[in-house]
Amino acid sequence: MKLSARNQLKGKIVAVRKGQTTAHVQIDIGHGVIITSSITNEAVDELKMKVGDKAVAIVKASDVMIGK
């Protein structure tokens, strides 16, 4: 898979929780860091996502906010 996005975080799926229309997929990218993404249930099914699979979290954003 080739993408223009440079922020690609490789890891392993540790949880897939489906709701009525969207799912929360958690990816362990190492060092105790978990990335959570909300995607459609349809995408989870099409990609056949399951716990233990290798996956890539791809971050493409025009703004990144930080608060303290």
Side-chain angles (χ1 to χ4, degrees):
M1 169 177 59
K2 292 185 179 185
L3 297 170
S4 63
R6 296 293 173 232
N7 300 315
Q8 299 182 29
L9 308 169
K10 296 178 182 179
K12 183 169 65 170
I13 296 174
V14 294
V16 178
R17 294 185 186 92
K18 284 186 173 182
Q20 287 187 337
T21 58
T22 60
H24 290 123
V25 179
Q26 293 185 319
I27 300 174
D28 182 343
I29 62 168
H31 305 289
V33 178
I34 304 289
I35 299 288
T36 302
S37 178
S38 294
I39 63 174
T40 64
N41 288 335
E42 183 179 358
V44 169
D45 295 340
E46 286 178 5
L47 294 170
K48 297 179 178 143
M49 293 183 169
K50 62 185 182 304
V51 172
D53 286 351
K54 291 181 182 178
V56 180
I58 301 157
V59 180
K60 183 75 173 178
S62 57
D63 296 306
V64 176
M65 292 185 222
I66 299 175
K68 182 175 178 184

Short mmCIF file of all heavy atoms in Angstrom, two decimals:
data_model
loop_
_atom_site.label_atom_id
_atom_site.label_comp_id
_atom_site.label_asym_id
_atom_site.label_seq_id
_atom_site.Cartn_x
_atom_site.Cartn_y
_atom_site.Cartn_z
N MET A 1 0.84 -1.17 0.00
CA MET A 1 0.00 0.00 0.00
C MET A 1 0.89 1.23 0.00
O MET A 1 1.74 1.39 0.87
CB MET A 1 -0.88 -0.03 1.26
CG MET A 1 -1.62 1.23 1.52
SD MET A 1 -2.72 1.18 2.95
CE MET A 1 -1.60 0.78 4.28
N LYS A 2 0.73 2.09 -0.98
CA LYS A 2 1.48 3.34 -1.05
C LYS A 2 0.52 4.51 -0.87
O LYS A 2 -0.53 4.55 -1.48
CB LYS A 2 2.20 3.46 -2.39
CG LYS A 2 3.31 2.47 -2.55
CD LYS A 2 4.05 2.71 -3.83
CE LYS A 2 5.18 1.70 -3.96
NZ LYS A 2 6.01 1.97 -5.13
N LEU A 3 0.92 5.44 0.01
CA LEU A 3 0.11 6.63 0.28
C LEU A 3 1.01 7.84 0.36
O LEU A 3 2.19 7.73 0.67
CB LEU A 3 -0.62 6.48 1.62
CG LEU A 3 -1.63 5.35 1.74
CD1 LEU A 3 -2.07 5.20 3.18
CD2 LEU A 3 -2.83 5.64 0.86
N SER A 4 0.43 9.00 0.13
CA SER A 4 1.20 10.24 0.24
C SER A 4 1.37 10.66 1.71
O SER A 4 2.28 11.41 2.02
CB SER A 4 0.53 11.36 -0.55
OG SER A 4 -0.76 11.63 -0.01
N ALA A 5 0.49 10.20 2.58
CA ALA A 5 0.57 10.57 4.00
C ALA A 5 1.88 10.06 4.60
O ALA A 5 2.25 8.90 4.41
CB ALA A 5 -0.62 10.01 4.76
N ARG A 6 2.56 10.91 5.31
CA ARG A 6 3.85 10.54 5.91
C ARG A 6 3.71 9.99 7.33
O ARG A 6 4.61 9.33 7.82
CB ARG A 6 4.79 11.73 5.91
CG ARG A 6 5.13 12.20 4.51
CD ARG A 6 5.96 11.15 3.79
NE ARG A 6 6.14 11.51 2.39
CZ ARG A 6 5.88 10.71 1.38
NH1 ARG A 6 5.38 9.51 1.59
NH2 ARG A 6 6.09 11.09 0.15
N ASN A 7 2.61 10.28 7.97
CA ASN A 7 2.41 9.84 9.35
C ASN A 7 1.73 8.48 9.37
O ASN A 7 0.53 8.36 9.54
CB ASN A 7 1.59 10.88 10.12
CG ASN A 7 2.28 12.22 10.15
OD1 ASN A 7 3.46 12.30 10.39
ND2 ASN A 7 1.54 13.27 9.88
N GLN A 8 2.53 7.43 9.16
CA GLN A 8 2.02 6.07 9.15
C GLN A 8 2.60 5.33 10.34
O GLN A 8 3.81 5.19 10.47
CB GLN A 8 2.41 5.37 7.84
CG GLN A 8 1.82 6.06 6.62
CD GLN A 8 2.15 5.35 5.33
OE1 GLN A 8 2.33 4.15 5.29
NE2 GLN A 8 2.20 6.11 4.25
N LEU A 9 1.72 4.89 11.24
CA LEU A 9 2.13 4.26 12.49
C LEU A 9 1.76 2.79 12.47
O LEU A 9 0.58 2.43 12.55
CB LEU A 9 1.46 4.98 13.67
CG LEU A 9 1.65 6.51 13.67
CD1 LEU A 9 0.74 7.15 14.69
CD2 LEU A 9 3.10 6.86 13.93
N LYS A 10 2.76 1.93 12.34
CA LYS A 10 2.52 0.49 12.25
C LYS A 10 2.30 -0.10 13.63
O LYS A 10 2.91 0.32 14.60
CB LYS A 10 3.70 -0.20 11.58
CG LYS A 10 3.91 0.22 10.15
CD LYS A 10 5.11 -0.45 9.55
CE LYS A 10 5.32 0.05 8.12
NZ LYS A 10 6.49 -0.57 7.50
N GLY A 11 1.40 -1.07 13.69
CA GLY A 11 1.14 -1.72 14.97
C GLY A 11 0.27 -2.95 14.81
O GLY A 11 0.16 -3.52 13.72
N LYS A 12 -0.34 -3.34 15.93
CA LYS A 12 -1.18 -4.53 15.97
C LYS A 12 -2.53 -4.16 16.55
O LYS A 12 -2.62 -3.43 17.55
CB LYS A 12 -0.52 -5.60 16.82
CG LYS A 12 -1.27 -6.91 16.86
CD LYS A 12 -0.48 -8.04 17.50
CE LYS A 12 -0.21 -7.75 18.95
NZ LYS A 12 0.34 -8.91 19.67
N ILE A 13 -3.60 -4.67 15.95
CA ILE A 13 -4.96 -4.40 16.44
C ILE A 13 -5.15 -5.12 17.77
O ILE A 13 -4.92 -6.33 17.87
CB ILE A 13 -6.02 -4.86 15.42
CG1 ILE A 13 -5.90 -4.04 14.13
CG2 ILE A 13 -7.43 -4.71 16.01
CD1 ILE A 13 -6.81 -4.50 13.01
N VAL A 14 -5.56 -4.35 18.79
CA VAL A 14 -5.79 -4.94 20.12
C VAL A 14 -7.26 -4.94 20.51
O VAL A 14 -7.63 -5.61 21.47
CB VAL A 14 -4.94 -4.24 21.20
CG1 VAL A 14 -3.46 -4.50 20.97
CG2 VAL A 14 -5.22 -2.74 21.26
N ALA A 15 -8.10 -4.19 19.77
CA ALA A 15 -9.54 -4.19 20.06
C ALA A 15 -10.31 -3.69 18.85
O ALA A 15 -9.86 -2.80 18.15
CB ALA A 15 -9.85 -3.31 21.27
N VAL A 16 -11.48 -4.31 18.63
CA VAL A 16 -12.42 -3.85 17.61
C VAL A 16 -13.79 -3.88 18.27
O VAL A 16 -14.29 -4.94 18.65
CB VAL A 16 -12.43 -4.77 16.36
CG1 VAL A 16 -13.47 -4.29 15.35
CG2 VAL A 16 -11.05 -4.85 15.73
N ARG A 17 -14.38 -2.70 18.47
CA ARG A 17 -15.68 -2.60 19.13
C ARG A 17 -16.68 -1.96 18.18
O ARG A 17 -16.60 -0.77 17.91
CB ARG A 17 -15.57 -1.78 20.41
CG ARG A 17 -14.71 -2.45 21.45
CD ARG A 17 -14.71 -1.67 22.77
NE ARG A 17 -13.77 -2.25 23.70
CZ ARG A 17 -12.51 -1.86 23.82
NH1 ARG A 17 -12.04 -0.90 23.08
NH2 ARG A 17 -11.71 -2.45 24.70
N LYS A 18 -17.60 -2.77 17.68
CA LYS A 18 -18.61 -2.26 16.74
C LYS A 18 -19.78 -1.65 17.49
O LYS A 18 -20.23 -2.19 18.50
CB LYS A 18 -19.12 -3.38 15.84
CG LYS A 18 -18.16 -3.79 14.76
CD LYS A 18 -18.84 -4.81 13.87
CE LYS A 18 -18.01 -5.13 12.66
NZ LYS A 18 -18.71 -6.09 11.78
N GLY A 19 -20.28 -0.54 16.96
CA GLY A 19 -21.50 0.08 17.45
C GLY A 19 -22.58 -0.11 16.41
O GLY A 19 -22.50 -1.01 15.57
N GLN A 20 -23.59 0.75 16.43
CA GLN A 20 -24.68 0.62 15.46
C GLN A 20 -24.22 0.89 14.03
O GLN A 20 -24.62 0.19 13.11
CB GLN A 20 -25.83 1.55 15.82
CG GLN A 20 -26.61 1.08 17.00
CD GLN A 20 -27.86 1.93 17.23
OE1 GLN A 20 -27.93 3.08 16.80
NE2 GLN A 20 -28.83 1.35 17.90
N THR A 21 -23.39 1.92 13.85
CA THR A 21 -22.92 2.25 12.50
C THR A 21 -21.40 2.38 12.40
O THR A 21 -20.84 2.21 11.33
CB THR A 21 -23.53 3.58 12.01
OG1 THR A 21 -23.20 4.62 12.94
CG2 THR A 21 -25.04 3.48 11.87
N THR A 22 -20.75 2.71 13.52
CA THR A 22 -19.30 2.89 13.50
C THR A 22 -18.63 1.96 14.50
O THR A 22 -19.25 1.49 15.46
CB THR A 22 -18.90 4.34 13.82
OG1 THR A 22 -19.38 4.68 15.11
CG2 THR A 22 -19.44 5.31 12.79
N ALA A 23 -17.35 1.75 14.27
CA ALA A 23 -16.56 0.90 15.15
C ALA A 23 -15.37 1.69 15.67
O ALA A 23 -14.89 2.62 15.02
CB ALA A 23 -16.08 -0.34 14.39
N HIS A 24 -14.89 1.31 16.85
CA HIS A 24 -13.65 1.85 17.38
C HIS A 24 -12.61 0.75 17.27
O HIS A 24 -12.80 -0.34 17.81
CB HIS A 24 -13.81 2.29 18.84
CG HIS A 24 -14.65 3.50 18.99
ND1 HIS A 24 -15.78 3.53 19.77
CD2 HIS A 24 -14.55 4.73 18.43
CE1 HIS A 24 -16.33 4.73 19.69
NE2 HIS A 24 -15.60 5.47 18.89
N VAL A 25 -11.54 1.06 16.55
CA VAL A 25 -10.45 0.11 16.36
C VAL A 25 -9.23 0.66 17.09
O VAL A 25 -8.84 1.81 16.88
CB VAL A 25 -10.14 -0.08 14.86
CG1 VAL A 25 -8.98 -1.05 14.67
CG2 VAL A 25 -11.37 -0.56 14.11
N GLN A 26 -8.66 -0.16 17.96
CA GLN A 26 -7.48 0.26 18.71
C GLN A 26 -6.26 -0.49 18.19
O GLN A 26 -6.29 -1.71 18.03
CB GLN A 26 -7.65 -0.01 20.20
CG GLN A 26 -8.74 0.85 20.82
CD GLN A 26 -8.82 0.67 22.32
OE1 GLN A 26 -8.72 -0.44 22.82
NE2 GLN A 26 -9.00 1.76 23.03
N ILE A 27 -5.19 0.28 17.93
CA ILE A 27 -3.93 -0.28 17.42
C ILE A 27 -2.83 0.06 18.41
O ILE A 27 -2.61 1.23 18.75
CB ILE A 27 -3.59 0.30 16.03
CG1 ILE A 27 -4.71 -0.03 15.03
CG2 ILE A 27 -2.25 -0.24 15.54
CD1 ILE A 27 -4.52 0.62 13.69
N ASP A 28 -2.12 -0.96 18.85
CA ASP A 28 -0.96 -0.80 19.73
C ASP A 28 0.24 -0.52 18.83
O ASP A 28 0.64 -1.38 18.04
CB ASP A 28 -0.74 -2.07 20.54
CG ASP A 28 0.41 -1.98 21.52
OD1 ASP A 28 1.26 -1.07 21.38
OD2 ASP A 28 0.48 -2.82 22.42
N ILE A 29 0.80 0.70 18.94
CA ILE A 29 1.94 1.06 18.09
C ILE A 29 3.27 0.94 18.85
O ILE A 29 4.31 1.37 18.36
CB ILE A 29 1.77 2.46 17.47
CG1 ILE A 29 1.69 3.54 18.54
CG2 ILE A 29 0.56 2.49 16.55
CD1 ILE A 29 1.80 4.95 17.98
N GLY A 30 3.22 0.37 20.04
CA GLY A 30 4.43 0.14 20.81
C GLY A 30 4.65 1.15 21.92
O GLY A 30 4.02 2.20 21.95
N HIS A 31 5.51 0.78 22.84
CA HIS A 31 5.88 1.63 23.98
C HIS A 31 4.67 2.07 24.80
O HIS A 31 4.63 3.18 25.32
CB HIS A 31 6.68 2.86 23.52
CG HIS A 31 7.90 2.52 22.73
ND1 HIS A 31 9.02 1.94 23.28
CD2 HIS A 31 8.15 2.63 21.40
CE1 HIS A 31 9.91 1.72 22.35
NE2 HIS A 31 9.41 2.14 21.19
N GLY A 32 3.64 1.21 24.85
CA GLY A 32 2.45 1.51 25.64
C GLY A 32 1.49 2.50 25.00
O GLY A 32 0.58 2.99 25.65
N VAL A 33 1.68 2.80 23.71
CA VAL A 33 0.85 3.78 23.03
C VAL A 33 -0.22 3.06 22.19
O VAL A 33 0.11 2.20 21.37
CB VAL A 33 1.68 4.71 22.11
CG1 VAL A 33 0.79 5.68 21.37
CG2 VAL A 33 2.73 5.44 22.93
N ILE A 34 -1.48 3.43 22.43
CA ILE A 34 -2.61 2.87 21.69
C ILE A 34 -3.25 4.00 20.89
O ILE A 34 -3.58 5.05 21.44
CB ILE A 34 -3.67 2.27 22.65
CG1 ILE A 34 -3.05 1.21 23.58
CG2 ILE A 34 -4.85 1.71 21.86
CD1 ILE A 34 -2.66 -0.07 22.92
N ILE A 35 -3.43 3.78 19.59
CA ILE A 35 -4.13 4.72 18.72
C ILE A 35 -5.55 4.18 18.53
O ILE A 35 -5.73 3.00 18.23
CB ILE A 35 -3.45 4.81 17.34
CG1 ILE A 35 -2.01 5.32 17.46
CG2 ILE A 35 -4.26 5.67 16.38
CD1 ILE A 35 -1.88 6.77 17.79
N THR A 36 -6.56 5.03 18.71
CA THR A 36 -7.95 4.62 18.50
C THR A 36 -8.52 5.39 17.32
O THR A 36 -8.38 6.60 17.23
CB THR A 36 -8.80 4.91 19.75
OG1 THR A 36 -8.23 4.23 20.86
CG2 THR A 36 -10.24 4.45 19.55
N SER A 37 -9.18 4.65 16.42
CA SER A 37 -9.80 5.26 15.25
C SER A 37 -11.26 4.87 15.18
O SER A 37 -11.62 3.72 15.49
CB SER A 37 -9.09 4.79 13.98
OG SER A 37 -9.71 5.34 12.84
N SER A 38 -12.11 5.81 14.80
CA SER A 38 -13.52 5.53 14.56
C SER A 38 -13.72 5.37 13.06
O SER A 38 -13.45 6.31 12.30
CB SER A 38 -14.40 6.67 15.06
OG SER A 38 -14.33 6.77 16.45
N ILE A 39 -14.15 4.19 12.65
CA ILE A 39 -14.40 3.93 11.23
C ILE A 39 -15.74 3.23 11.10
O ILE A 39 -16.32 2.80 12.10
CB ILE A 39 -13.27 3.08 10.59
CG1 ILE A 39 -13.18 1.70 11.24
CG2 ILE A 39 -11.94 3.81 10.68
CD1 ILE A 39 -12.19 0.77 10.55
N THR A 40 -16.23 3.10 9.89
CA THR A 40 -17.53 2.45 9.71
C THR A 40 -17.43 0.94 9.95
O THR A 40 -16.37 0.34 9.76
CB THR A 40 -18.08 2.68 8.29
OG1 THR A 40 -17.21 2.05 7.35
CG2 THR A 40 -18.24 4.16 7.98
N ASN A 41 -18.54 0.36 10.37
CA ASN A 41 -18.60 -1.10 10.51
C ASN A 41 -18.32 -1.76 9.16
O ASN A 41 -17.69 -2.82 9.10
CB ASN A 41 -19.97 -1.54 11.03
CG ASN A 41 -20.19 -1.19 12.48
OD1 ASN A 41 -19.25 -1.04 13.26
ND2 ASN A 41 -21.45 -1.04 12.86
N GLU A 42 -18.80 -1.13 8.10
CA GLU A 42 -18.58 -1.66 6.75
C GLU A 42 -17.08 -1.76 6.44
O GLU A 42 -16.62 -2.76 5.86
CB GLU A 42 -19.28 -0.77 5.73
CG GLU A 42 -19.18 -1.27 4.30
CD GLU A 42 -19.91 -0.38 3.30
OE1 GLU A 42 -20.54 0.62 3.71
OE2 GLU A 42 -19.86 -0.70 2.12
N ALA A 43 -16.31 -0.74 6.82
CA ALA A 43 -14.86 -0.76 6.59
C ALA A 43 -14.20 -1.90 7.38
O ALA A 43 -13.31 -2.58 6.87
CB ALA A 43 -14.25 0.58 6.96
N VAL A 44 -14.64 -2.09 8.63
CA VAL A 44 -14.10 -3.19 9.44
C VAL A 44 -14.35 -4.52 8.74
O VAL A 44 -13.45 -5.37 8.64
CB VAL A 44 -14.74 -3.20 10.85
CG1 VAL A 44 -14.39 -4.48 11.60
CG2 VAL A 44 -14.28 -1.99 11.65
N ASP A 45 -15.57 -4.70 8.22
CA ASP A 45 -15.91 -5.95 7.54
C ASP A 45 -15.12 -6.12 6.25
O ASP A 45 -14.60 -7.20 5.97
CB ASP A 45 -17.42 -6.00 7.25
CG ASP A 45 -18.26 -6.07 8.52
OD1 ASP A 45 -17.72 -6.45 9.59
OD2 ASP A 45 -19.45 -5.72 8.44
N GLU A 46 -15.03 -5.06 5.45
CA GLU A 46 -14.32 -5.14 4.17
C GLU A 46 -12.84 -5.46 4.36
O GLU A 46 -12.26 -6.20 3.58
CB GLU A 46 -14.47 -3.83 3.39
CG GLU A 46 -15.83 -3.63 2.77
CD GLU A 46 -15.96 -2.30 2.04
OE1 GLU A 46 -14.97 -1.56 1.92
OE2 GLU A 46 -17.08 -2.00 1.59
N LEU A 47 -12.23 -4.86 5.39
CA LEU A 47 -10.82 -5.09 5.66
C LEU A 47 -10.58 -6.34 6.51
O LEU A 47 -9.44 -6.70 6.78
CB LEU A 47 -10.21 -3.86 6.34
CG LEU A 47 -10.17 -2.61 5.47
CD1 LEU A 47 -9.77 -1.40 6.31
CD2 LEU A 47 -9.22 -2.79 4.30
N LYS A 48 -11.67 -6.98 6.95
CA LYS A 48 -11.60 -8.20 7.77
C LYS A 48 -10.70 -7.98 8.99
O LYS A 48 -9.83 -8.79 9.29
CB LYS A 48 -11.13 -9.38 6.93
CG LYS A 48 -12.09 -9.69 5.81
CD LYS A 48 -11.61 -10.85 4.96
CE LYS A 48 -12.66 -11.12 3.90
NZ LYS A 48 -12.14 -11.51 2.64
N MET A 49 -10.92 -6.85 9.67
CA MET A 49 -10.11 -6.50 10.83
C MET A 49 -10.47 -7.37 12.03
O MET A 49 -11.64 -7.55 12.32
CB MET A 49 -10.32 -5.03 11.21
CG MET A 49 -9.81 -4.07 10.22
SD MET A 49 -10.03 -2.38 10.82
CE MET A 49 -9.07 -1.52 9.62
N LYS A 50 -9.42 -7.87 12.69
CA LYS A 50 -9.65 -8.64 13.91
C LYS A 50 -8.46 -8.46 14.83
O LYS A 50 -7.36 -8.09 14.40
CB LYS A 50 -9.91 -10.10 13.60
CG LYS A 50 -8.79 -10.83 12.92
CD LYS A 50 -9.22 -12.24 12.56
CE LYS A 50 -8.11 -13.04 11.91
NZ LYS A 50 -7.53 -12.46 10.72
N VAL A 51 -8.68 -8.70 16.09
CA VAL A 51 -7.62 -8.58 17.09
C VAL A 51 -6.46 -9.48 16.70
O VAL A 51 -6.65 -10.63 16.29
CB VAL A 51 -8.17 -8.95 18.50
CG1 VAL A 51 -7.04 -9.03 19.51
CG2 VAL A 51 -9.21 -7.93 18.94
N GLY A 52 -5.26 -8.92 16.79
CA GLY A 52 -4.05 -9.66 16.46
C GLY A 52 -3.51 -9.35 15.07
O GLY A 52 -2.34 -9.63 14.78
N ASP A 53 -4.33 -8.77 14.20
CA ASP A 53 -3.88 -8.41 12.86
C ASP A 53 -2.89 -7.25 12.92
O ASP A 53 -3.00 -6.36 13.76
CB ASP A 53 -5.06 -7.95 11.99
CG ASP A 53 -5.95 -9.07 11.53
OD1 ASP A 53 -5.59 -10.25 11.73
OD2 ASP A 53 -7.03 -8.76 10.98
N LYS A 54 -1.94 -7.25 11.99
CA LYS A 54 -1.08 -6.09 11.80
C LYS A 54 -1.89 -5.03 11.07
O LYS A 54 -2.72 -5.35 10.22
CB LYS A 54 0.15 -6.45 10.98
CG LYS A 54 1.11 -7.36 11.71
CD LYS A 54 2.31 -7.66 10.85
CE LYS A 54 3.26 -8.61 11.57
NZ LYS A 54 4.41 -8.95 10.72
N ALA A 55 -1.65 -3.76 11.41
CA ALA A 55 -2.38 -2.67 10.78
C ALA A 55 -1.52 -1.42 10.81
O ALA A 55 -0.50 -1.36 11.50
CB ALA A 55 -3.70 -2.42 11.50
N VAL A 56 -1.95 -0.42 10.05
CA VAL A 56 -1.25 0.86 10.01
C VAL A 56 -2.25 1.96 10.29
O VAL A 56 -3.29 2.05 9.62
CB VAL A 56 -0.59 1.09 8.63
CG1 VAL A 56 0.15 2.42 8.60
CG2 VAL A 56 0.37 -0.04 8.28
N ALA A 57 -1.96 2.81 11.28
CA ALA A 57 -2.77 4.00 11.54
C ALA A 57 -2.16 5.12 10.70
O ALA A 57 -0.97 5.42 10.82
CB ALA A 57 -2.73 4.36 13.02
N ILE A 58 -2.97 5.71 9.82
CA ILE A 58 -2.48 6.75 8.93
C ILE A 58 -3.13 8.06 9.34
O ILE A 58 -4.35 8.17 9.37
CB ILE A 58 -2.82 6.41 7.46
CG1 ILE A 58 -2.17 5.07 7.10
CG2 ILE A 58 -2.36 7.51 6.53
CD1 ILE A 58 -2.82 4.36 5.97
N VAL A 59 -2.30 9.04 9.69
CA VAL A 59 -2.79 10.32 10.17
C VAL A 59 -2.56 11.37 9.10
O VAL A 59 -1.42 11.62 8.70
CB VAL A 59 -2.08 10.74 11.48
CG1 VAL A 59 -2.60 12.07 11.97
CG2 VAL A 59 -2.22 9.65 12.53
N LYS A 60 -3.64 11.96 8.62
CA LYS A 60 -3.56 13.03 7.62
C LYS A 60 -4.45 14.15 8.11
O LYS A 60 -5.67 14.04 8.11
CB LYS A 60 -4.02 12.51 6.26
CG LYS A 60 -3.92 13.49 5.13
CD LYS A 60 -2.49 13.68 4.68
CE LYS A 60 -2.45 14.54 3.42
NZ LYS A 60 -1.09 14.78 2.99
N ALA A 61 -3.85 15.22 8.60
CA ALA A 61 -4.63 16.31 9.16
C ALA A 61 -3.99 17.65 8.80
O ALA A 61 -2.77 17.77 8.75
CB ALA A 61 -4.72 16.18 10.67
N SER A 62 -4.82 18.63 8.57
CA SER A 62 -4.29 19.97 8.28
C SER A 62 -4.02 20.73 9.57
O SER A 62 -3.26 21.68 9.58
CB SER A 62 -5.28 20.74 7.41
OG SER A 62 -6.52 20.81 8.04
N ASP A 63 -4.66 20.32 10.67
CA ASP A 63 -4.46 20.99 11.96
C ASP A 63 -4.23 19.95 13.05
O ASP A 63 -4.90 18.93 13.09
CB ASP A 63 -5.70 21.80 12.35
CG ASP A 63 -5.98 22.92 11.39
OD1 ASP A 63 -5.07 23.73 11.16
OD2 ASP A 63 -7.11 22.98 10.88
N VAL A 64 -3.30 20.25 13.92
CA VAL A 64 -3.09 19.44 15.11
C VAL A 64 -3.13 20.40 16.29
O VAL A 64 -2.34 21.34 16.36
CB VAL A 64 -1.72 18.70 15.08
CG1 VAL A 64 -1.50 17.94 16.37
CG2 VAL A 64 -1.66 17.77 13.88
N MET A 65 -4.08 20.18 17.19
CA MET A 65 -4.23 21.06 18.35
C MET A 65 -3.62 20.41 19.58
O MET A 65 -3.70 19.20 19.75
CB MET A 65 -5.71 21.34 18.61
CG MET A 65 -6.35 22.15 17.56
SD MET A 65 -8.04 22.51 18.08
CE MET A 65 -8.87 22.26 16.55
N ILE A 66 -3.04 21.24 20.43
CA ILE A 66 -2.47 20.79 21.69
C ILE A 66 -3.01 21.69 22.77
O ILE A 66 -3.05 22.91 22.62
CB ILE A 66 -0.93 20.84 21.66
CG1 ILE A 66 -0.39 19.92 20.56
CG2 ILE A 66 -0.36 20.48 23.03
CD1 ILE A 66 1.09 19.99 20.36
N GLY A 67 -3.45 21.11 23.88
CA GLY A 67 -3.95 21.89 24.99
C GLY A 67 -3.24 21.50 26.26
O GLY A 67 -2.67 20.43 26.37
N LYS A 68 -3.30 22.40 27.22
CA LYS A 68 -2.67 22.11 28.51
C LYS A 68 -3.47 22.76 29.60
O LYS A 68 -3.95 23.86 29.49
CB LYS A 68 -1.24 22.61 28.52
CG LYS A 68 -0.53 22.30 29.82
CD LYS A 68 0.92 22.70 29.74
CE LYS A 68 1.56 22.41 31.08
NZ LYS A 68 2.93 22.85 31.13
#
